Amino acid sequence: MSSSVQRKRIRKDPAARRAEIVDAAAAVALTEGLECVTLRRVAEDLAVRPGLISHYFPSAEGLVAEAFGSAATGELDRLLPARPPEDAPSRHLARFLARTSGEEYDVISRLWINARHLSRYRPVLRDRVALQESAWRGRLETLVRDGVDTGEFVTDDPVAATVQILVVLDGLGAHANTATPERPAAVLRMPITTAERELGLPPGTLDRTTG
Amino acid sequence: MSSSVQRKRIRKDPAARRAEIVDAAAAVALTEGLECVTLRRVAEDLAVRPGLISHYFPSAEGLVAEAFGSAATGELDRLLPARPPEDAPSRHLARFLARTSGEEYDVISRLWINARHLSRYRPVLRDRVALQESAWRGRLETLVRDGVDTGEFVTDDPVAATVQILVVLDGLGAHANTATPERPAAVLRMPITTAERELGLPPGTLDRTTG
DNA sequence: GATGCTATTGAGTGTGCGACCAATAAGCAA
DNA sequence: TTGCTTATTGGTCGCACACTCAATAGCATC
């Protein structure tokens, strides 16, 4: 008779239920942080009992790692999707760098800071972070190599160029959780400057393009 | 008569006791992480009761912030001490950058990652992080300005040059908790390259010097 | 419609945390 | 020596967490 109690059980296909759990966990990871990905929290969001989450993830650490992996993969796809043939590599790179400037990118920075810190205590998560790192690096590296192939980019070490861009992005994202004093324009432009320098592009090539 | 029980009370000067607590908390913060700075943990290290820590720090968050501040200040003093007059700014800067390459620096990177992440949930800590950030920036900026004054460095924006160096250091330190694949030499040299570029120094000027 | 598999629940265990507070004793001052 | 201030103790409370496991019920299969 109590109003808020839902006694009806909904039995789902294990694969679908698992995906549902991972999605909910990833959402929590993005909005609240990885330490908020708990059995109780995820169960509450899905209106099930905590024990059910344990059934799919015998160790909570596995769920946290999965949540991070899912969230990071999703953000990578939004930030740096596969390049359609009609986009020139330089244009695609410019779009990517433009997306890393907005406040929207802070969410991603927060997630990475979170994961890199929590990796200190969670070996399973640490492995997942390493995996995601190589995924992000790999996708940017592919774009760089594509640009070299078309002749737009010039570098004798695509890996070094790629990693240098990522290091700068990591450095700029480090402050996503703290109120940062207004930064000089030269600092805000560091990703573009670095990319243009390492890829042999004339200054200004990677600035925001229309559309 | 029980062997492990210490019933004797040691009453100390409040200022001394407080300093003792902060020191112990800073040590835990550096070695184990800020989330291990708990009333119980610090009390155990000092062989006192948790209630005593509460007496000096009514809120545990205050202790965590203090622990970070103490640890960060100590590390800054080791890493970038005040420049003695007999040291040329370029030589002092070269020493600083050399110290940021060793594995010893990983401890500092870990502390900063830790603090920047935990800032998300702890407003008191967040303020302390902002304070420490300006302290680190201030000290490096002073060194840069000194070099400009002596004519060794050339830049029209000392702040931008300073922050760019720090951003690169932050970016490289982001991986302190994860096993990082061997990085290209160009990446490892980024701090030196950035400093030389932004300060108008000939390449190689800031490489490791003898002594 | 009956049966069997298993997804899901409900209840309970143990741990570590911050916070709170009355009782106690150390050491200084009168 | 006596008395007072307060640093320090010991104990307790409530909360949130992961983890365990027997009981239950949804649903596909026969």
Side-chain angles (χ1 to χ4, degrees), chain B residues 44-178:
Chain B
E44 191 185 11
D45 285 1
L46 295 176
V48 297
R49 309 269 92 201
L52 182 60
I53 314 296
S54 284
H55 176 68
Y56 286 94
F57 292 90
S59 160
E61 192 182 347
L63 175 60
V64 172
E66 197 78 11
F68 166 72
S70 172
T73 298
E75 293 304 307
L76 174 58
D77 287 341
R78 288 201 313 129
L79 207 62
L80 185 53
R83 182 175 64 86
E86 66 268 21
D87 263 20
S90 62
R91 184 182 183 82
H92 203 63
L93 178 59
R95 286 233 190 78
F96 166 64
L97 292 179
R99 278 188 275 258
T100 62
S101 310
E103 298 204 353
E104 175 195 20
Y105 185 64
D106 278 357
V107 175
I108 300 171
S109 292
R110 267 189 274 269
L111 177 67
W112 276 100
I113 296 172
N114 196 168
R116 289 198 171 115
H117 167 64
L118 213 54
S119 288
R120 181 172 182 174
Y121 308 104
R122 307 270 152 89
V124 181
L125 175 61
R126 190 184 311 149
D127 293 345
R128 197 56 76 96
V129 167
L131 214 65
Q132 283 294 326
E133 257 167 15
S134 76
W136 284 59
R137 177 167 33 78
R139 193 169 299 186
L140 183 56
E141 188 184 328
T142 297
L143 176 57
V144 167
R145 290 189 188 277
D146 284 357
V148 171
D149 287 346
T150 67
E152 287 175 89
F153 302 158
V154 177
T155 175
D156 57 352
D157 192 342
V159 172
T162 299
V163 175
Q164 286 187 67
I165 295 171
L166 290 175
V167 165
V168 169
L169 289 175
D170 283 341
L172 286 171
H175 305 69
N177 287 323
T178 51

Side-chain angles (χ1 to χ4, degrees), chain A residues 1-58:
Chain A
M1 190 60 89
S2 56
S3 57
S4 63
V5 175
Q6 172 179 5
R7 47 172 39 87
K8 183 68 178 164
R9 291 189 183 184
I10 303 174
R11 193 189 176 102
K12 297 196 173 180
D13 174 72
R17 181 65 94 180
R18 188 190 165 92
E20 190 183 41
I21 292 172
V22 170
D23 285 352
V28 172
L30 272 174
T31 56
E32 323 264 330
L34 291 166
E35 23 276 289
C36 296
V37 177
T38 65
L39 303 183
R40 285 169 170 76
R41 180 71 165 80
V42 173
E44 191 185 9
D45 285 2
L46 295 176
V48 298
R49 307 272 101 200
L52 182 61
I53 315 296
S54 285
H55 175 68
Y56 287 93
F57 292 90

Side-chain angles (χ1 to χ4, degrees), chain B residues 8-9 11 37-40 51 58-60:
Chain B
K8 183 66 177 167
R9 291 189 183 183
R11 193 190 175 103
V37 176
T38 65
L39 303 184
R40 286 168 171 78
S59 160

